[in-house]
Every structure is written in structure tokens, then in C-alpha cells.
Coordinates of all heavy atoms in Angstrom, one line a residue:
M1 N 0.9 -1.3 0.0 CA 0.1 -0.1 0.1 C 0.8 1.2 0.0 O 1.9 1.3 0.7 CB -0.8 0.0 1.2 CG -1.7 1.3 1.3 SD -3.1 1.3 2.6 CE -2.1 1.5 4.1
N2 N 0.5 2.3 -0.8 CA 1.1 3.4 -0.9 C 0.9 4.3 0.4 O -0.3 4.4 0.8 CB 0.7 4.2 -2.1 CG 1.6 5.3 -2.4 OD1 2.0 6.0 -1.7 ND2 1.8 5.4 -3.8
D3 N 1.9 4.9 0.9 CA 1.7 5.9 2.1 C 1.1 7.1 1.7 O 0.7 7.9 2.5 CB 2.9 6.0 2.9 CG 3.3 4.7 3.7 OD1 2.5 4.0 4.0 OD2 4.5 4.6 4.0
N4 N 1.0 7.5 0.4 CA 0.5 8.8 0.0 C -1.1 8.6 0.1 O -1.6 7.6 0.3 CB 0.9 9.0 -1.5 CG 2.4 9.2 -1.6 OD1 3.0 9.8 -0.8 ND2 2.8 8.7 -2.7
A5 N -1.7 9.7 0.1 CA -3.1 9.8 -0.1 C -3.8 9.4 1.2 O -4.9 8.9 1.2 CB -3.7 9.0 -1.2
C6 N -3.3 9.6 2.4 CA -3.9 9.1 3.5 C -5.2 10.0 3.9 O -6.2 9.5 4.2 CB -3.0 9.2 4.8 SG -2.3 10.9 5.1
H7 N -5.1 11.3 3.4 CA -6.2 12.2 3.7 C -7.3 11.8 2.6 O -8.7 11.8 3.0 CB -6.0 13.6 3.5 CG -4.9 14.1 4.4 ND1 -5.1 14.1 5.8 CD2 -3.7 14.7 4.2 CE1 -4.1 14.6 6.4 NE2 -3.3 15.0 5.4
I8 N -7.1 11.3 1.4 CA -8.1 11.0 0.5 C -8.8 9.7 0.8 O -9.9 9.4 0.6 CB -7.6 11.2 -0.9 CG1 -8.8 11.3 -2.0 CG2 -6.9 9.8 -1.4 CD1 -9.5 12.6 -1.7
R9 N -7.9 8.8 1.4 CA -8.6 7.5 1.9 C -9.6 7.8 3.0 O -10.5 7.1 3.1 CB -7.4 6.6 2.4 CG -6.7 6.0 1.3 CD -5.7 4.9 1.8 NE -4.9 4.4 0.8 CZ -3.6 4.9 0.5 NH1 -3.1 5.9 1.3 NH2 -2.8 4.5 -0.3
E10 N -9.2 8.8 3.9 CA -10.1 9.1 4.9 C -11.4 9.7 4.4 O -12.5 9.5 5.0 CB -9.5 10.3 5.9 CG -8.3 9.7 6.8 CD -7.6 10.9 7.5 OE1 -8.0 12.1 7.4 OE2 -6.5 10.5 8.0
R11 N -11.3 10.5 3.4 CA -12.5 11.1 2.8 C -13.4 10.1 2.0 O -14.6 10.2 2.0 CB -12.0 12.2 1.7 CG -13.1 12.9 0.9 CD -13.8 13.8 2.0 NE -14.8 14.4 1.1 CZ -15.8 15.2 1.6 NH1 -16.0 15.1 2.8 NH2 -16.7 15.8 0.9
F12 N -12.7 9.1 1.4 CA -13.5 8.1 0.7 C -13.1 6.7 1.2 O -12.6 5.9 0.6 CB -13.1 8.1 -0.9 CG -13.5 9.4 -1.6 CD1 -12.5 10.3 -1.7 CD2 -14.8 9.6 -2.1 CE1 -12.8 11.5 -2.5 CE2 -15.0 10.8 -2.7 CZ -14.1 11.8 -2.9
P13 N -13.5 6.4 2.5 CA -13.2 5.1 3.1 C -13.6 3.9 2.5 O -12.9 2.8 2.3 CB -13.7 5.2 4.5 CG -14.8 6.3 4.4 CD -14.4 7.2 3.3
D14 N -14.8 3.9 1.6 CA -15.3 2.8 1.0 C -14.4 2.6 -0.4 O -14.7 1.5 -1.0 CB -16.7 2.9 0.6 CG -17.5 2.9 1.9 OD1 -17.1 2.4 3.0 OD2 -18.6 3.5 1.9
E15 N -13.6 3.5 -0.8 CA -13.0 3.4 -2.0 C -11.4 3.2 -1.8 O -10.7 3.4 -2.8 CB -13.1 4.7 -2.8 CG -14.6 5.0 -3.1 CD -15.2 4.1 -4.2 OE1 -14.3 3.5 -5.0 OE2 -16.4 4.2 -4.4
K16 N -11.0 2.8 -0.6 CA -9.5 2.6 -0.4 C -8.9 1.6 -1.3 O -7.8 2.0 -1.9 CB -9.3 2.1 1.0 CG -9.6 3.1 2.1 CD -9.5 2.5 3.4 CE -9.7 3.6 4.4 NZ -9.6 3.0 5.9
H17 N -9.4 0.4 -1.7 CA -8.9 -0.5 -2.6 C -8.7 0.1 -4.0 O -7.7 0.1 -4.7 CB -9.8 -1.7 -2.7 CG -9.3 -2.8 -3.6 ND1 -8.1 -3.5 -3.3 CD2 -9.8 -3.2 -4.9 CE1 -7.9 -4.3 -4.2 NE2 -8.8 -4.2 -5.1
T18 N -9.9 0.8 -4.5 CA -9.8 1.4 -5.7 C -8.8 2.6 -5.9 O -8.1 2.6 -6.8 CB -11.2 1.9 -6.1 OG1 -12.1 0.9 -6.1 CG2 -11.1 2.6 -7.6
I19 N -8.7 3.4 -4.8 CA -7.8 4.5 -4.7 C -6.2 3.8 -4.8 O -5.5 4.3 -5.5 CB -7.8 5.2 -3.4 CG1 -9.1 6.1 -3.5 CG2 -6.7 6.0 -3.1 CD1 -9.5 6.7 -2.2
D20 N -6.1 2.7 -4.1 CA -4.7 2.1 -4.2 C -4.4 1.6 -5.6 O -3.3 1.8 -6.1 CB -4.6 0.9 -3.1 CG -4.6 1.5 -1.7 OD1 -4.3 2.7 -1.4 OD2 -4.8 0.6 -0.8
L21 N -5.3 0.9 -6.1 CA -5.1 0.4 -7.6 C -4.9 1.5 -8.6 O -3.9 1.5 -9.3 CB -6.4 -0.3 -8.0 CG -6.6 -1.7 -7.3 CD1 -8.0 -2.4 -7.9 CD2 -5.5 -2.7 -7.8
L22 N -5.7 2.6 -8.5 CA -5.5 3.7 -9.3 C -4.2 4.4 -9.2 O -3.5 4.8 -10.1 CB -6.7 4.7 -9.3 CG -8.0 4.4 -10.0 CD1 -9.1 5.5 -9.6 CD2 -7.8 4.4 -11.5
M23 N -3.8 4.6 -7.9 CA -2.5 5.2 -7.7 C -1.3 4.5 -8.2 O -0.4 5.0 -8.7 CB -2.3 5.5 -6.1 CG -3.0 6.6 -5.6 SD -2.6 7.1 -3.9 CE -2.5 5.6 -3.1
A24 N -1.4 3.1 -8.1 CA -0.5 2.2 -8.7 C -0.4 2.2 -10.3 O 0.6 2.1 -10.9 CB -0.6 0.8 -8.2
E25 N -1.7 2.4 -10.9 CA -1.7 2.3 -12.3 C -1.7 3.6 -13.1 O -1.4 3.7 -14.3 CB -3.0 1.6 -12.7 CG -3.1 0.2 -12.2 CD -4.4 -0.5 -12.4 OE1 -5.3 0.1 -12.9 OE2 -4.5 -1.6 -11.9
D26 N -2.0 4.7 -12.4 CA -2.2 5.9 -13.1 C -1.5 7.0 -12.4 O -1.9 7.6 -11.4 CB -3.8 6.3 -13.0 CG -4.1 7.6 -13.9 OD1 -3.3 8.4 -14.3 OD2 -5.3 7.8 -14.1
P27 N -0.4 7.5 -13.0 CA 0.5 8.5 -12.5 C -0.3 9.8 -12.2 O 0.0 10.6 -11.3 CB 1.6 8.7 -13.4 CG 1.6 7.6 -14.3 CD 0.2 7.0 -14.3
D28 N -1.2 10.2 -13.2 CA -2.0 11.5 -13.0 C -2.9 11.4 -11.7 O -3.0 12.4 -11.0 CB -2.9 11.8 -14.3 CG -2.0 12.1 -15.5 OD1 -0.9 12.5 -15.2 OD2 -2.4 11.7 -16.6
F29 N -3.5 10.2 -11.5 CA -4.3 9.9 -10.3 C -3.5 10.1 -9.1 O -3.9 10.8 -8.1 CB -5.2 8.7 -10.3 CG -6.1 8.4 -9.2 CD1 -7.3 9.1 -9.3 CD2 -5.8 7.7 -8.1 CE1 -8.2 9.0 -8.2 CE2 -6.6 7.6 -7.0 CZ -7.8 8.3 -7.1
L30 N -2.3 9.5 -9.1 CA -1.5 9.6 -7.9 C -1.1 11.1 -7.7 O -1.1 11.4 -6.5 CB -0.2 8.8 -8.1 CG 0.9 8.9 -7.2 CD1 0.5 8.4 -5.9 CD2 2.2 8.0 -7.7
T31 N -0.7 11.8 -8.6 CA -0.4 13.2 -8.4 C -1.7 14.0 -7.9 O -1.4 14.8 -7.0 CB 0.0 13.9 -9.8 OG1 1.2 13.2 -10.3 CG2 0.3 15.4 -9.7
L32 N -2.9 13.7 -8.4 CA -4.0 14.4 -7.8 C -4.1 14.0 -6.2 O -4.4 14.9 -5.4 CB -5.3 13.7 -8.5 CG -5.9 14.4 -9.7 CD1 -7.1 13.6 -10.3 CD2 -6.2 15.9 -9.5
C33 N -3.8 12.8 -5.9 CA -4.0 12.4 -4.4 C -2.8 13.0 -3.7 O -3.1 13.5 -2.6 CB -3.9 10.9 -4.4 SG -5.4 10.0 -5.0
E34 N -1.5 13.1 -4.2 CA -0.6 13.8 -3.6 C -0.9 15.2 -3.3 O -0.5 15.9 -2.3 CB 0.7 13.5 -4.3 CG 1.2 12.1 -4.2 CD 2.5 11.8 -5.0 OE1 2.6 12.5 -6.1 OE2 3.2 10.8 -4.7
D35 N -1.3 15.8 -4.5 CA -1.7 17.3 -4.3 C -2.8 17.5 -3.2 O -2.7 18.5 -2.5 CB -2.1 17.8 -5.7 CG -1.0 17.9 -6.7 OD1 0.2 17.8 -6.3 OD2 -1.3 18.2 -7.9
H36 N -3.8 16.7 -3.3 CA -4.9 16.8 -2.3 C -4.4 16.7 -0.9 O -4.5 17.5 0.0 CB -5.9 15.6 -2.4 CG -7.0 15.6 -1.4 ND1 -6.7 14.8 -0.2 CD2 -8.1 16.3 -1.3 CE1 -7.9 15.0 0.5 NE2 -8.6 15.9 -0.1
D37 N -3.3 15.7 -0.6 CA -2.8 15.5 0.8 C -2.0 16.8 1.1 O -2.1 17.3 2.3 CB -1.9 14.3 0.8 CG -2.6 13.1 1.2 OD1 -3.9 13.2 1.2 OD2 -2.1 12.2 1.7
A38 N -1.2 17.5 0.1 CA -0.5 18.6 0.5 C -1.3 19.7 0.8 O -1.0 20.6 1.6 CB 0.5 18.8 -0.8
C39 N -2.4 19.9 0.0 CA -3.4 21.0 0.4 C -4.0 20.8 1.7 O -4.2 21.8 2.3 CB -4.4 21.1 -0.9 SG -3.7 21.8 -2.3
V40 N -4.4 19.6 2.0 CA -5.1 19.3 3.4 C -4.1 19.8 4.4 O -4.4 20.4 5.4 CB -5.6 17.9 3.5 CG1 -6.0 17.6 4.9 CG2 -6.8 17.6 2.6
D41 N -2.8 19.3 4.3 CA -1.8 19.7 5.3 C -1.6 21.2 5.3 O -1.4 21.8 6.5 CB -0.5 18.9 4.9 CG -0.5 17.5 5.2 OD1 -1.5 16.9 5.9 OD2 0.3 16.9 4.6
A42 N -1.6 21.9 4.2 CA -1.4 23.3 4.2 C -2.6 23.9 4.8 O -2.5 25.0 5.6 CB -1.2 23.7 2.7
L43 N -3.8 23.4 4.5 CA -5.1 24.0 5.1 C -4.9 23.9 6.7 O -5.2 24.9 7.2 CB -6.2 23.3 4.5 CG -7.6 23.7 5.2 CD1 -7.9 25.3 4.9 CD2 -8.7 22.9 4.4
R44 N -4.5 22.8 7.1 CA -4.6 22.7 8.6 C -3.5 23.6 9.1 O -3.7 24.2 10.2 CB -4.2 21.2 8.9 CG -5.3 20.2 8.7 CD -5.0 18.9 8.9 NE -6.2 18.0 8.6 CZ -6.2 16.7 8.6 NH1 -5.1 16.0 8.9 NH2 -7.3 16.1 8.3
Y45 N -2.2 23.8 8.5 CA -1.4 24.7 9.0 C -1.9 26.2 9.0 O -1.7 26.7 10.1 CB -0.1 24.6 8.0 CG 0.9 25.8 8.4 CD1 1.9 25.6 9.3 CD2 0.8 27.0 7.5 CE1 2.7 26.7 9.7 CE2 1.7 27.9 7.9 CZ 2.7 27.8 8.8 OH 3.6 28.8 9.1
W46 N -2.4 26.6 7.9 CA -3.0 28.0 8.0 C -4.2 28.2 8.8 O -4.4 29.2 9.4 CB -3.3 28.3 6.5 CG -2.0 28.7 5.6 CD1 -1.5 28.0 4.7 CD2 -1.1 29.8 5.9 NE1 -0.3 28.5 4.3 CE2 -0.1 29.6 4.9 CE3 -1.0 30.8 6.7 CZ2 1.0 30.5 4.9 CZ3 0.1 31.7 6.7 CH2 0.9 31.5 5.8
A47 N -5.0 27.1 9.0 CA -6.1 27.3 9.9 C -5.7 27.5 11.4 O -6.3 28.2 12.1 CB -7.0 26.0 9.8
E48 N -4.4 27.1 11.7 CA -3.9 27.2 13.2 C -3.0 28.4 13.2 O -2.6 28.8 14.2 CB -3.2 26.0 13.5 CG -4.1 24.8 13.7 CD -3.2 23.5 14.0 OE1 -2.0 23.6 14.3 OE2 -4.0 22.5 14.0
S49 N -2.6 29.1 12.0 CA -1.7 30.2 12.0 C -2.4 31.5 12.5 O -3.6 31.6 12.2 CB -1.2 30.4 10.6 OG -0.5 31.5 10.5
E50 N -1.6 32.3 13.1 CA -2.1 33.6 13.5 C -1.6 34.7 12.6 O -1.7 36.0 12.8 CB -1.8 33.9 14.8 CG -2.5 33.0 15.8 CD -2.2 33.3 17.3 OE1 -1.8 34.4 17.7 OE2 -2.4 32.4 18.2
A51 N -0.9 34.3 11.4 CA -0.2 35.3 10.5 C -1.4 36.0 9.8 O -2.5 35.6 9.7 CB 0.5 34.5 9.5
P52 N -1.1 37.3 9.4 CA -2.1 38.3 8.8 C -2.7 37.7 7.6 O -3.9 37.9 7.4 CB -1.3 39.5 8.6 CG 0.0 39.4 9.3 CD 0.2 37.9 9.6
E53 N -2.0 36.8 6.8 CA -2.6 36.3 5.6 C -3.2 34.9 5.9 O -3.7 34.3 4.8 CB -1.4 36.3 4.6 CG -0.4 35.0 4.8 CD 0.8 35.5 5.7 OE1 0.7 36.6 6.4 OE2 1.8 34.9 5.7
A54 N -3.4 34.5 7.0 CA -3.8 33.1 7.3 C -5.3 32.9 6.8 O -5.6 32.0 6.0 CB -3.9 32.9 8.8
E55 N -6.2 33.9 7.0 CA -7.5 33.8 6.4 C -7.7 33.6 4.9 O -8.3 32.7 4.4 CB -8.4 34.9 6.9 CG -9.8 34.7 6.6 CD -10.8 35.9 6.9 OE1 -10.3 36.8 7.7 OE2 -11.9 36.0 6.5
T56 N -6.8 34.4 4.2 CA -6.7 34.4 2.8 C -6.3 33.0 2.3 O -6.8 32.4 1.5 CB -5.7 35.4 2.2 OG1 -6.3 36.7 2.6 CG2 -5.7 35.3 0.7
R57 N -5.2 32.5 2.9 CA -4.6 31.1 2.7 C -5.6 30.0 3.0 O -5.7 29.2 2.2 CB -3.4 30.9 3.4 CG -2.2 31.9 3.1 CD -1.6 31.6 1.7 NE -0.8 32.6 1.4 CZ -0.9 33.7 0.5 NH1 -2.0 33.9 -0.1 NH2 0.1 34.6 0.3
V58 N -6.3 30.2 4.2 CA -7.3 29.2 4.5 C -8.4 29.0 3.4 O -8.7 28.0 2.8 CB -7.9 29.5 5.8 CG1 -9.3 28.6 6.0 CG2 -7.0 29.2 6.9
N59 N -8.8 30.2 2.9 CA -9.8 30.2 1.9 C -9.3 29.7 0.6 O -10.0 29.0 -0.2 CB -10.4 31.7 1.6 CG -11.2 32.0 2.7 OD1 -11.8 31.4 3.5 ND2 -11.2 33.5 3.0
E60 N -8.1 30.0 0.1 CA -7.4 29.3 -1.0 C -7.3 27.9 -1.0 O -7.7 27.2 -1.8 CB -6.0 30.1 -1.3 CG -6.2 31.5 -1.6 CD -4.7 32.2 -1.6 OE1 -3.7 31.5 -1.1 OE2 -4.7 33.4 -2.2
Y61 N -6.7 27.4 0.1 CA -6.6 25.9 0.2 C -7.9 25.2 0.5 O -8.0 24.1 -0.1 CB -5.7 25.6 1.5 CG -4.2 25.9 1.0 CD1 -3.5 26.9 1.5 CD2 -3.5 25.1 0.0 CE1 -2.1 27.1 1.2 CE2 -2.2 25.2 -0.3 CZ -1.5 26.3 0.3 OH -0.3 26.5 -0.2
R62 N -8.9 25.9 0.9 CA -10.2 25.3 1.1 C -10.8 25.0 -0.2 O -11.3 23.9 -0.7 CB -11.1 26.1 1.9 CG -12.2 25.3 2.7 CD -13.0 26.2 3.5 NE -12.5 26.1 4.9 CZ -12.4 27.0 5.8 NH1 -12.9 28.2 5.5 NH2 -12.0 26.8 7.1
A63 N -10.7 26.0 -1.2 CA -11.1 25.8 -2.5 C -10.3 24.7 -3.3 O -10.9 24.1 -4.0 CB -11.0 27.2 -3.2
L64 N -9.0 24.8 -3.1 CA -8.2 23.8 -3.8 C -8.5 22.4 -3.4 O -8.6 21.5 -4.2 CB -6.7 24.0 -3.5 CG -6.1 25.2 -4.3 CD1 -4.7 25.4 -3.7 CD2 -6.1 24.9 -5.8
V65 N -8.7 22.2 -2.0 CA -9.1 20.8 -1.6 C -10.5 20.4 -2.1 O -10.6 19.3 -2.6 CB -9.0 20.8 0.0 CG1 -9.8 19.6 0.5 CG2 -7.7 21.0 0.6
R66 N -11.4 21.4 -2.3 CA -12.7 20.9 -2.8 C -12.6 20.6 -4.2 O -13.1 19.6 -4.7 CB -13.6 22.2 -2.6 CG -15.1 22.0 -3.0 CD -16.0 23.1 -2.6 NE -15.4 24.6 -2.8 CZ -15.0 25.3 -1.8 NH1 -15.2 24.9 -0.4 NH2 -14.6 26.6 -2.0
E67 N -11.8 21.4 -5.1 CA -11.6 21.0 -6.4 C -10.9 19.8 -6.6 O -11.3 18.9 -7.5 CB -10.7 22.1 -7.1 CG -11.6 23.7 -7.3 CD -10.8 24.6 -7.7 OE1 -9.5 24.3 -8.3 OE2 -11.1 25.8 -7.4
L68 N -9.9 19.4 -5.9 CA -9.2 18.2 -6.0 C -10.0 17.0 -5.7 O -10.0 16.0 -6.2 CB -7.9 18.2 -5.2 CG -6.8 19.1 -5.7 CD1 -5.8 19.4 -4.7 CD2 -6.3 18.5 -7.0
R69 N -10.9 17.2 -4.6 CA -11.8 16.1 -4.2 C -12.8 15.9 -5.3 O -13.1 14.6 -5.4 CB -12.5 16.5 -2.9 CG -11.7 16.3 -1.7 CD -12.6 16.6 -0.4 NE -11.7 16.5 0.8 CZ -11.9 17.0 1.9 NH1 -13.0 17.7 2.1 NH2 -11.1 16.8 2.9
Q70 N -13.2 16.8 -5.9 CA -14.2 16.6 -7.0 C -13.5 15.9 -8.2 O -14.1 15.0 -8.8 CB -14.7 18.0 -7.6 CG -15.6 18.7 -6.6 CD -16.1 20.1 -6.9 OE1 -15.5 20.7 -7.9 NE2 -17.0 20.7 -6.3
E71 N -12.3 16.3 -8.5 CA -11.6 15.5 -9.6 C -11.4 14.2 -9.2 O -11.6 13.1 -10.1 CB -10.3 16.2 -9.9 CG -10.4 17.5 -10.7 CD -9.0 18.0 -11.0 OE1 -8.2 17.4 -11.7 OE2 -8.7 19.2 -10.6
I72 N -11.0 13.9 -8.0 CA -10.8 12.5 -7.5 C -12.0 11.7 -7.5 O -12.1 10.6 -7.9 CB -10.1 12.5 -6.1 CG1 -8.6 13.1 -6.2 CG2 -10.1 11.1 -5.5 CD1 -8.0 13.4 -5.0
A73 N -13.2 12.2 -7.1 CA -14.4 11.6 -7.1 C -14.9 11.4 -8.4 O -15.3 10.1 -8.7 CB -15.5 12.4 -6.4
Q74 N -14.7 12.1 -9.4 CA -14.9 11.9 -10.9 C -14.1 10.7 -11.3 O -14.6 9.8 -12.0 CB -14.9 13.1 -11.7 CG -15.8 14.1 -11.4 CD -15.5 15.5 -12.2 OE1 -14.4 15.6 -12.8 NE2 -16.4 16.3 -12.2
A75 N -12.8 10.8 -11.1 CA -12.1 9.6 -11.4 C -12.5 8.3 -10.8 O -12.5 7.2 -11.6 CB -10.6 9.9 -11.0
L76 N -12.9 8.2 -9.4 CA -13.4 7.1 -8.8 C -14.7 6.5 -9.6 O -14.9 5.4 -9.6 CB -13.5 7.3 -7.4 CG -12.3 7.5 -6.6 CD1 -12.5 7.9 -5.3 CD2 -11.4 6.3 -6.5
E77 N -15.6 7.5 -9.9 CA -16.8 7.2 -10.4 C -16.7 6.5 -11.9 O -17.5 5.7 -12.2 CB -17.7 8.4 -10.5 CG -18.2 8.9 -9.3 CD -18.9 10.2 -9.5 OE1 -19.2 10.7 -10.6 OE2 -19.3 10.9 -8.4
T78 N -15.6 6.8 -12.5 CA -15.5 6.2 -13.9 C -14.8 5.0 -13.9 O -14.8 4.3 -15.0 CB -14.6 7.1 -14.7 OG1 -13.3 7.2 -14.2 CG2 -15.2 8.4 -14.9
Q79 N -14.5 4.3 -12.8 CA -13.8 3.0 -12.7 C -14.9 1.9 -12.6 O -15.9 2.0 -12.0 CB -13.0 3.0 -11.3 CG -11.7 3.9 -11.4 CD -10.8 3.6 -12.6 OE1 -10.5 2.5 -12.8 NE2 -10.8 4.6 -13.4
E80 N -14.6 1.0 -13.3 CA -15.3 -0.2 -13.3 C -15.1 -0.9 -12.0 O -14.0 -1.0 -11.4 CB -14.8 -1.3 -14.3 CG -15.0 -0.7 -15.7 CD -16.5 -0.8 -16.1 OE1 -17.2 -1.7 -15.8 OE2 -16.8 0.2 -16.9
P81 N -16.2 -1.5 -11.4 CA -16.0 -2.2 -10.1 C -14.9 -3.4 -10.3 O -15.0 -4.1 -11.3 CB -17.4 -2.8 -9.8 CG -18.3 -2.1 -10.6 CD -17.5 -1.6 -11.8
R82 N -14.1 -3.5 -9.4 CA -12.9 -4.5 -9.5 C -13.1 -5.4 -8.3 O -13.5 -5.0 -7.2 CB -11.6 -3.9 -9.4 CG -11.4 -3.0 -10.6 CD -10.0 -2.4 -10.5 NE -9.9 -1.3 -11.6 CZ -8.8 -1.0 -12.0 NH1 -7.7 -1.6 -11.6 NH2 -8.7 0.0 -12.9
R83 N -12.7 -6.7 -8.6 CA -12.8 -7.8 -7.5 C -11.5 -8.2 -7.1 O -10.6 -8.2 -7.8 CB -13.7 -8.9 -8.0 CG -15.1 -8.4 -8.3 CD -15.9 -9.6 -8.9 NE -17.2 -9.0 -9.5 CZ -18.3 -9.1 -8.9 NH1 -18.5 -9.7 -7.8 NH2 -19.3 -8.5 -9.6

């Protein structure tokens, strides 16, 4: 199992197997998941920050996380069920 995409596995717990298969087979999907994880980590960082730009960064990362989750969800929906 790939250690990447821990956040996306939390978001789609019923799709863990498909996520692992896609990450192994599709470099673009792997990049989406890695980008999602990086954005979630950055969002958490800025949410706890007291820096003047924190609110702006939180809003930016929140939007990025939402967009990446939509792309990942679409990729998962297009997959044939695997056994």
C-alpha cells in the first residue's frame, strides 16, 4: 500500500482499494492524491496560524481541496468495479 493519499482515503473510506489500484496504475491520479494531501496539510497549517494572511490562505486551500476532491471523485466514479 502506498503511504500517499492518507487524507483522500479518509475522505473516501469505501474506495480505499480502488484508490490504491488507481495510484499504482495511473500517475495522474497519484499526482491528484498527492496534491490533495499537500493541500489538506497546508489548510490545517494555515487554519492554526495567526499570520495576517492566514484567512486568505485558508480560503485558497479550502477551494483547492474542494476542487481536488471533485476531480478524484470523478475519477473514482469512472472506474469499473473490481474484484
Side-chain angles (χ1 to χ4, degrees):
M1 177 172 75
N2 193 323
D3 286 337
N4 297 322
C6 63
H7 297 305
I8 205 63
R9 285 188 191 96
E10 291 168 4
R11 178 71 176 159
F12 298 99
D14 295 338
E15 300 287 347
K16 287 179 183 178
H17 181 70
T18 303
I19 290 167
D20 289 342
L21 287 172
L22 280 173
M23 285 193 312
E25 296 173 2
D26 185 346
D28 292 333
F29 184 80
L30 174 59
T31 299
L32 275 177
C33 292
E34 290 172 338
D35 289 351
H36 174 270
D37 268 21
C39 286
V40 168
D41 289 340
L43 174 60
R44 289 178 179 172
Y45 169 83
W46 285 109
E48 296 175 6
S49 174
E50 294 182 21
E53 70 273 18
E55 184 178 351
T56 300
R57 298 290 177 253
V58 165
N59 292 333
E60 291 170 349
Y61 280 108
R62 209 174 263 147
L64 285 170
V65 167
R66 187 172 37 252
E67 290 171 17
L68 288 165
R69 282 182 182 161
Q70 288 172 348
E71 286 186 56
I72 291 167
Q74 288 172 348
L76 291 172
E77 287 173 8
T78 63
Q79 292 303 303
E80 295 288 323
R82 299 181 189 205
R83 298 176 197 255

